[in-house]
Amino acid sequence: MPVLVEMGWGGQVQTPEEILWTDISRRVDLMQGVTITRGASDELSEIQPGTATLTLDNADGALTPGNPSSPFAPYVRRNAPIRISQAVMPVQSGAAPYPVSMLGDTFDDGVVDLVLWPASYGGVTEVDGRARIPLVPGSSASYQSARTWVLAGSQIAVKVAKLPAANGSSAAAARFMVNATTSGTRAGFTYNALTGTLRCVSEVGFSDGAGVTLTYSSIDHLWLRLREASGVLRWETSPDGWDWTARRTLATPAWVATGQVVVDLPASRTGGTADYVEWDLLGAQVRPRFYGMVNEWPVQWEGLLSSVYISATDLFKRLNRQPPLRSMLGMEVLTRDTTTGRFSFPAAYFPLAEPVESAAAGSVVGAGIGALASTQVGSGGALVFGEDGVPETGETAPTFTPASATAGRYLVGDLGPQMAADATTWAINVQVWIKTSTAGRAILGLSDPLRTSQLVLSLNGSGVLTVESTQDGTALVVGTSSSGNLADGAWHHVVYDGSGKRVYVDGASVSGTLLATSSPDLRTIYVGGYRSARLFSGQIAHLSLHLANGPVGSVYAVTSDARTGFSGESSDWRVERLARYAGLDSVTVLGNTFDPIASQGPAGTSIVARLQEVETTESGKLYAERDYYGLAYQSRDLRYNPSADAETFAIAYADVEPGIQLADDDQKLCNQVEASRPNGATQIVTDAPSVAEFGAYEQQLNVLKTSDAAVTDAASWLVFRYADPDPELREVPIEAATMPEFLDILDADISSYFTVYDLPAQSSALEMRVTVEGYTETIKEQSHLIQFRTSASARDSIWILDDPDYSVLGSTTRLAY
C-alpha cells in the first residue's frame, strides 16, 4: 500500500487552502519506513504534539537547504508544510462484473498492466509511478479498461499528477470517464487545456449541454471522483483525496444502473506541440496520517550517496512557539471577528500597559503608527503608567491626574500616513476603557493636520458620553448619547461605531443623536484630553482604532464581557475562543456535555496552557487534526457507555502482533482527591474502602469550575473511575496492512473503540473493549504496524436505569459527570 508524502513548498502550514502540494513519495526510504506518533500515553496524560520521522533520498541534492539548483529552492527550509497519507489500494475479488471501486493501479511498476487496461492505445506508458498519456497533434491515446466494471453503488477516484498545456493547439483535452455500452454515452471529467477549465459531464452523443464547468484549481481539484449511491450520481473533487466536495449531482442515468462500464482516460489535441497528461493512484482510498511542519533538513552522506532524515511536528509546534497571551480583553481586541458581510481590522491598538517609568505608549498593531508621547500642558499635574488597570486582566493602565482642565499631562501621537489614507476610505471605529469621577472632560480626539476633520469622544458636564465631529472645518457638532453618568468611578467600556453612528457602553447600544458620518485623513490622536484642554482625570486603557466597511459596533461591544474573562461560557465556546486567539479558524467539537468554565482573563500564560486548562477542567480531549491545520475538542460524554455499534473495528487475539499485555497495577489508582477552583473552596473526595485496602493514593485537582458543587463532581468522577481500576490492555500492536479491516483500523483515532476478542483462556475476560488514547505507527513497503495505546472502555460507563448492561449494582452504577 503506497504511502503518500507531500510537501507544501513555499506555503504556510496555517493556510492549507493556499498550499500547492508536491508529491515526494518516491524519495521516501520505505526500508526504514515512516514513523508517526500521536496522542497520549494513557487517558490521564496530556496529549502530546504529534510527530513524524522519515528518511528521504537526496541523491540529486534537491533536498539540500540553500542549494540554488534545487527545483524546490528556496523553500527547502525549516517549518515547510508536510502531509502524510496512506493510499489504500483496492483488492479485486469475486467474479465479474466487479464494482468499479475494485479497480486500482498505482502505476509503479513501469509497465502498463494489460489485464487492467487491455484496450489501451496511442503509446501510453508508465513513468516515475504515473500513468502517462501522450497528446500528439492529430491523434488520441488512452488507458482503457475492459468492460467488466459496474458503477452503480460504487465509485472510482484518481489523482491529477500533471495536466497538459495548450501548446498552440486549437483543441487539447484530457478526460477521466466512465463509458456506457453505447458509444458517446459516458460520464466523468473533461479538462480543457485551452480554457483551463474542468467540466463535469454526463454525455449522450458525446455532448452535455448541462455540464458544470469549473475553473480548474490545482489545489482544490487535485483529486477527482465519480460516485453513485442511492440513485444519485456525484462528481466530486478533493484537495487531498480525503475531504470531498460535490461539484455536480444528477439522478443516476439508466445506463449506470443497468450496464457494465469501461473506465477510460483519453487525451487528444488537434495541433501545436506534443504534450502529455499524467494520472496517479487510480482507485486509491486515502487515509490522512499526519499534517504538520518539518523541523529540520539534516543532510548526511555515505560516500556519494546522500539522504535527509527529517522530523516533523503537528500544529502544536506552532502553538507552543506563540508568545504568552495578552489578557482575554486584549486578545478580543486583536482577534474579534466581524459579522457576516462586513470586513474590519484593528488599525491601531494601544494597550496602555507600559511599566511605571514609561513616558510614552505604543501600538502593538498597524504600520507606521507613532507612539503616544506624554505631553505637558500648562504646569502641574501628572501621568503615571503601570497602575492597576481593568480588573481581572492582569494588565496595568496609566492614571491621568491633571491640576485642572487645562493643566497637566496627556498623550499625543501621529497615526501616520497609512492610517490617514485608510480613514478616507474606511469608517473609523473606536473602543476604549475609561474610569473617572470627573465629568466635563475629553476621553480622546482625532484630527487631520489642518483640523478640517475632527472626532472627539468626551463626557459632558453630567458625565454623559458625547461624540463631537466635523468634516468641513466648521465648529464641532455635539451628539449626545443616553449613556447616563459614566463619571461614577467605575470602569466602563465605550465603543464608537463610525458607520452606524452609534455608541455602545458596557456592551449595550445606547441611543442618541450622533452626526458623525465619515472622518477622512485623520492622523493626529490625543488621549486624555483634546488639543490642550478638557484634560481627563482618571484612567484610560485598551484603546483601539478599527477600520471597517460597515456597522460593526455590536461586534466590538462584546469585548465588554472580557472584563470577567467570559466566566460562565461553555467549555466548547472557550476552546473555540482560544483557538481564535491562536489564529485558528475553527475547531471540530465532538460530544454534547460542555459545562460552564471560569475566567482565564489575566495575561501571561501560553495558548497551549490555557487550552489544556479547559481540557483538564472538563475531562475532555484536545488534539491536532491529522488531515489539516485544526484542533479537535472532545467532551467527556463522547466516551460514555461505548456500544458495539460505535466500534471502529474488532480484532481476534490471534491477529494481534506479539507484545500485548494485561496490566493490573497501581499506575492509575486514585482514591483521594483534593480539589479546588479559583476563589472557591478546597474539597476532598475519598473512597474509603479503597483507602482501607490499598492505602491513600492522593491527587491534586485544580479546575476552572464556576461552582464548588461542580468541583465535587469532577473529583468524584476521578475517584469513582480509579479507586480500584480493573485489569486492562494498555497496548495493542496490529499489523494493519494484512487485515481485511485495513481501512477501519486506519480510521481509529483518539477516543475510538475497538474490541480484542478470543483472548487466551488465562485472561480475566475472553474479550475486552478498549479506547484509543494514542498510537505509534510505522509504515513500510507492504507493512503498516500500529501500536495502539489504549485504556479500558468500561471505565467510562455510566448508570442507566433498568439497563441490563449499565445498571449492574457495584459494577456499572457510576453516576454521570
Side-chain angles (χ1 to χ4, degrees):
M1 299 299 174
V3 62
L4 184 57
V5 178
E6 297 167 293
M7 294 300 308
W9 304 120
Q12 301 292 321
V13 70
Q14 67 271 24
T15 55
E17 69 280 356
E18 299 176 6
I19 295 177
L20 182 62
W21 295 95
T22 299
D23 188 343
I24 62 166
S25 303
R26 294 180 69 81
R27 294 179 177 270
V28 178
D29 183 347
L30 288 177
M31 292 295 292
Q32 297 189 51
V34 177
T35 299
I36 298 169
T37 299
R38 176 172 173 79
S41 58
D42 58 60
E43 74 271 32
L44 297 176
S45 300
E46 290 181 345
I47 292 175
Q48 300 301 306
T51 62
T53 58
L54 58 157
T55 300
L56 302 171
D57 178 22
N58 189 39
D60 58 356
L63 301 181
T64 300
N67 178 7
S69 63
S70 167
F72 313 130
Y75 302 118
V76 182
R77 59 193 183 194
R78 68 190 72 87
N79 295 333
I82 184 173
R83 68 182 184 187
I84 303 171
S85 303
Q86 177 76 76
V88 181
M89 302 306 296
V91 176
Q92 187 173 322
S93 62
Y98 307 100
V100 74
S101 58
M102 288 186 180
L103 174 58
D105 199 340
T106 62
F107 309 111
D108 279 345
D109 58 8
V111 178
V112 177
D113 188 334
L114 296 181
V115 175
L116 291 178
W117 309 105
S120 297
Y121 59 92
V124 299
T125 56
E126 289 187 4
V127 180
D128 293 333
R130 299 170 175 179
R132 177 174 293 183
I133 303 165
L135 276 78
V136 177
S139 64
S140 60
S142 180
Y143 267 72
Q144 194 173 92
S145 76
R147 190 173 297 282
T148 55
W149 307 99
V150 175
L151 178 58
S154 191
Q155 64 183 36
I156 183 72
V158 70
K159 183 185 179 188
V160 179
K162 180 193 176 300
L163 289 171
N167 286 0
S169 179
S170 60
R175 295 178 173 86
F176 169 45
M177 308 296 287
V178 172
N179 299 345
T181 55
T182 302
S183 178
T185 299
R186 56 186 183 173
F189 298 85
T190 295
Y191 174 74
N192 186 323
L194 275 67
T195 60
T197 57
L198 182 71
R199 188 168 169 83
C200 306
V201 297
S202 176
E203 298 180 344
V204 175
F206 298 102
S207 178
D208 178 11
V212 174
T213 301
L214 311 168
T215 299
Y216 182 77
S217 166
S218 54
I219 296 174
D220 297 330
H221 308 147
L222 183 60
W223 289 77
L224 310 177
R225 182 169 75 179
L226 193 63
R227 180 168 66 96
E228 199 285 332
S230 303
V232 178
L233 187 61
R234 294 175 173 86
W235 290 254
E236 298 168 322
T237 67
S238 172
D240 55 9
W242 166 250
D243 187 16
W244 295 91
T245 299
R247 303 299 181 178
R248 183 185 183 187
T249 59
L250 187 70
T252 302
W255 62 267
V256 172
T258 59
Q260 296 179 31
V261 300
V262 167
V263 175
D264 194 14
L265 300 169
S268 62
R269 69 167 62 249
T270 58
T273 306
D275 197 1
Y276 56 87
V277 58
E278 290 183 337
W279 306 97
D280 198 6
L281 297 174
L282 184 129
Q285 293 194 55
V286 175
R287 292 296 185 268
R289 310 311 299 166
F290 180 84
Y291 182 95
M293 62 191 82
V294 176
N295 300 322
E296 57 182 348
W297 294 90
V299 180
Q300 53 193 23
W301 289 270
E302 291 185 13
L304 297 178
L305 298 178
S306 175
S307 60
V308 180
Y309 178 79
I310 66 171
S311 64
T313 309
D314 66 18
L315 71 80
F316 273 93
K317 176 183 178 180
R318 182 177 174 84
L319 297 184
N320 280 317
R321 284 207 320 267
Q322 294 191 4
L325 292 178
R326 296 183 178 276
S327 65
M328 294 187 80
L329 191 160
M331 297 308 300
E332 286 296 309
V333 172
L334 291 170
T335 65
R336 164 57 52 184
D337 290 335
T338 60
T339 53
T340 302
R342 297 281 183 260
F343 175 79
S344 72
F345 59 95
Y349 172 35
F350 300 93
L352 301 175
E354 279 75 9
V356 65
E357 65 274 9
S358 301
S363 173
V364 296
V365 298
I369 305 294
L372 301 178
S374 178
T375 303
Q376 180 71 46
V377 177
S379 61
L383 193 169
V384 180
F385 284 93
E387 304 206 328
D388 289 344
V390 180
E392 295 194 37
T393 64
E395 293 169 320
T396 62
T399 297
F400 299 77
T401 311
S404 69
T406 56
R409 286 186 172 273
Y410 71 145
L411 298 171
V412 181
D414 180 1
L415 296 175
Q418 186 62 53
M419 178 70 175
D422 289 342
T424 302
T425 306
W426 303 83
I428 194 163
N429 302 266
V430 181
Q431 62 173 324
V432 64
W433 290 77
I434 63 169
K435 177 183 178 183
T436 183
S437 298
T438 304
R441 303 297 175 91
I443 302 168
L444 61 91
L446 301 111
S447 73
D448 66 13
L450 299 178
R451 291 191 285 277
T452 302
S453 297
Q454 301 177 65
L455 175 66
V456 181
L457 301 187
S458 63
L459 301 180
N460 66 16
S462 300
V464 174
L465 179 67
T466 63
V467 179
E468 309 167 28
S469 64
T470 180
Q471 283 81 45
D472 57 10
T474 58
L476 291 168
V477 177
V478 179
T480 304
S481 76
S482 60
S483 67
N485 179 23
L486 301 186
D488 58 358
W491 279 103
H492 294 286
H493 179 233
V494 175
V495 173
Y496 163 68
D497 184 336
S499 293
K501 295 188 293 181
R502 300 186 69 87
V503 293
Y504 297 77
V505 175
D506 298 332
S509 174
V510 294
S511 60
T513 304
L514 305 179
L515 301 179
T517 55
S518 63
S519 304
D521 206 26
L522 294 177
R523 179 160 180 171
T524 304
I525 182 170
Y526 307 86
V527 180
Y530 186 60
R531 296 176 55 200
S532 303
R534 293 188 285 171
L535 299 183
F536 189 83
S537 178
Q539 288 187 289
I540 298 177
H542 297 284
L543 165 62
S544 57
L545 306 177
H546 304 257
L547 297 173
N549 66 351
V552 291
S554 60
V555 177
Y556 297 132
V558 178
T559 305
S560 176
D561 293 334
R563 174 168 37 185
T564 62
F566 298 99
S567 180
E569 70 178 345
S570 64
S571 62
D572 56 328
W573 285 23
R574 179 65 55 82
V575 169
E576 291 179 339
R577 187 181 303 280
L578 293 174
R580 168 158 51 87
Y581 296 169
L584 292 166
D585 292 335
S586 64
V587 177
T588 301
V589 176
L590 306 167
N592 300 292
T593 300
F594 302 104
D595 294 345
I597 195 161
S599 168
Q600 294 172 287
T605 53
S606 71
I607 184 67
V608 173
R610 293 200 187 191
L611 287 167
Q612 289 175 339
E613 282 180 335
V614 179
E615 179 185 21
T616 300
T617 295
E618 293 295 74
S619 296
K621 296 296 177 184
L622 184 80
Y623 54 90
E625 298 279 15
R626 57 187 177 185
D627 61 325
Y628 73 105
Y629 187 78
L631 286 174
Y633 175 56
Q634 299 176 349
S635 69
R636 59 183 177 272
D637 74 304
L638 193 71
R639 297 184 171 208
Y640 288 170
N641 296 353
S643 65
D645 293 339
E647 285 188 347
T648 307
F649 65 94
I651 189 167
Y653 167 75
D655 291 328
V656 172
E657 296 299 297
I660 190 170
Q661 291 184 346
L662 185 65
D664 183 24
D665 53 33
D666 62 359
Q667 176 180 315
K668 301 179 182 179
L669 200 154
C670 172
N671 52 29
Q672 185 167 297
V673 174
E674 182 180 286
S676 61
R677 68 182 180 96
N679 304 317
T682 297
Q683 305 172 78
I684 295 179
V685 175
T686 301
D687 186 288
S690 176
V691 172
E693 185 168 356
F694 304 114
Y697 281 74
E698 294 184 324
Q699 184 170 323
Q700 301 289 323
L701 184 64
N702 302 307
V703 289
L704 298 175
K705 296 294 187 181
T706 56
S707 71
D708 292 332
V711 174
T712 302
D713 291 341
S716 299
W717 178 247
L718 191 58
V719 170
F720 287 168
R721 296 164 74 211
Y722 296 104
D724 187 10
D726 291 329
E728 65 180 354
L729 301 176
R730 291 187 182 153
E731 292 201 359
V732 181
I734 300 174
E735 176 49 83
T738 64
M739 296 291 106
E741 306 87 355
F742 191 11
L743 286 170
D744 294 334
I745 295 172
L746 294 185
D747 286 340
D749 200 358
I750 296 166
S751 297
S752 295
Y753 313 117
F754 66 89
T755 293
V756 181
Y757 61 91
D758 288 346
L759 286 164
Q762 301 91 337
S763 174
S764 57
L766 293 181
E767 67 177 41
M768 290 189 176
R769 183 175 297 149
V770 296
T771 302
V772 176
E773 305 298 343
Y775 57 81
T776 296
E777 60 185 326
T778 301
I779 308 170
K780 296 183 177 182
E781 190 72 46
Q782 300 302 317
S783 172
H784 196 136
L785 179 63
I786 306 181
Q787 184 92 10
F788 286 107
R789 298 183 292 278
T790 61
S791 63
S793 300
R795 194 170 292 139
D796 292 301
S797 62
I798 61 172
W799 176 72
I800 300 176
L801 180 64
D802 293 331
D803 187 276
D805 295 320
Y806 296 108
S807 62
V808 180
L809 186 64
S811 176
T812 58
T813 52
R814 185 181 299 118
L815 295 178
Y817 154 57

